Amino acid sequence: KKLQLTAYPSEAEIDPDGTIQGITVRKYAKKTKAIVAVNASPFNYTGLSIFPGRRLVGLHVYQGQRLSPPIKKYAALAFFEDFEGNYKASIFSDQTLVPSQALHAFGGFYTILKQGEIIDFPALSFDSRLAAGVSKDGTTLYLLFTPGIFFGTAGLSFEECAVILSKVGAWEALQFDGGSSAEMTIEGKNIKKTGFRRVANIFAFTLSNDTNFN
């Protein structure tokens, strides 16, 4: 069996006005029987009800279809599939540069590691983080979740996330939505223990018989 990439939301899960109801990572992982699932893009709340909708901030490509427009100043993680069903991943510092051939793409915030070099940020802040990195050849994906205040710790800075991802082999990396939105599940177990939030964008890997991810 191989890994199959799946994502939320699909076109059917977005209202005509762009509103998304949202789902927690752990609920999505349970629903799809995901091996690994993480939150991705940031979002804004819509409406004033007790359960407001969400609207994606930045690029979201689902099965080759662009469902949310790109933002130039933010980065994106894009997945491509070859004729044999093998995935490769790339990180783009500018979401508008993600090519139309992308099978899936998930917008984040900023690039934190580019061509092996750690990016400096003038404002130093610490929080729960969810970051993704890719190897130089694009065949290895690295996912980093680090808890913050919910575990009584300060969390990590963008630069510290970049250092960790660089040391394990990432060539480029970006920061996804962090803080209370940051969540990861592995084989059905939540890395995060408290403060689950319904988010607007998730990607996950499930078992398949016909797709490869090296």
Side-chain angles (χ1 to χ4, degrees):
K1 292 185 176 181
K2 304 299 180 180
L3 291 179
Q4 173 71 51
L5 177 62
T6 183
Y8 173 89
S10 64
E11 183 180 18
E13 292 164 319
I14 303 177
D15 293 339
D17 65 354
T19 299
I20 303 162
Q21 295 308 307
I23 188 173
T24 64
V25 172
R26 62 174 179 169
K27 186 173 182 179
Y28 184 75
K30 182 178 181 180
K31 175 182 177 182
T32 60
K33 299 181 180 179
I35 303 301
V36 177
V38 296
N39 69 285
S41 306
F43 60 90
N44 290 323
Y45 287 105
T46 62
L48 300 175
S49 68
I50 189 171
F51 295 114
R54 288 125 176 83
R55 184 170 285 115
L56 283 169
V57 175
L59 183 67
H60 176 49
V61 176
Y62 180 88
Q63 294 184 352
Q65 185 177 6
R66 182 173 290 182
L67 301 181
S68 182
I71 296 178
K72 185 177 179 64
K73 67 177 181 179
Y74 290 152
L77 171 67
F79 291 90
F80 303 86
E81 188 176 27
D82 66 19
F83 292 110
E84 297 179 350
N86 300 306
Y87 291 134
K88 279 196 175 182
S90 295
I91 288 175
F92 296 85
S93 297
D94 176 349
Q95 293 180 4
T96 67
L97 299 179
V98 174
S100 60
Q101 296 92 334
L103 177 66
H104 288 279
F106 309 97
F109 282 116
Y110 302 104
T111 299
I112 58 174
L113 180 68
K114 188 171 181 63
Q115 296 183 343
E117 297 293 328
I118 295 169
I119 306 299
D120 294 325
F121 290 86
L124 187 64
S125 63
F126 301 88
D127 207 338
S128 300
R129 304 292 184 191
L130 198 295
V134 298
S135 60
K136 193 172 184 179
D137 64 2
T139 62
T140 303
L141 174 69
Y142 303 90
L143 295 173
L144 171 65
F145 168 79
T146 177
I149 57 173
F150 290 112
F151 289 74
T153 63
L156 295 180
S157 67
F158 284 1
E159 291 92 335
E160 288 172 331
C161 290
V163 169
I164 294 171
L165 288 167
S166 177
K167 286 185 176 181
V168 299
W171 180 244
E172 298 200 336
L174 83 163
Q175 200 74 47
F176 281 127
D177 196 10
S180 298
S181 296
E183 187 179 350
M184 174 187 285
T185 67
I186 300 176
E187 295 183 344
K189 297 180 180 180
N190 283 84
I191 306 303
K192 187 176 183 178
K193 302 301 181 183
T194 60
F196 302 104
R197 172 181 284 178
R198 290 190 296 130
V199 296
N201 195 209
I202 298 168
F203 69 89
F205 292 97
T206 61
L207 286 176
S208 170
N209 290 317
D210 55 12
T211 302
N212 300 313
F213 190 90
N214 298 321

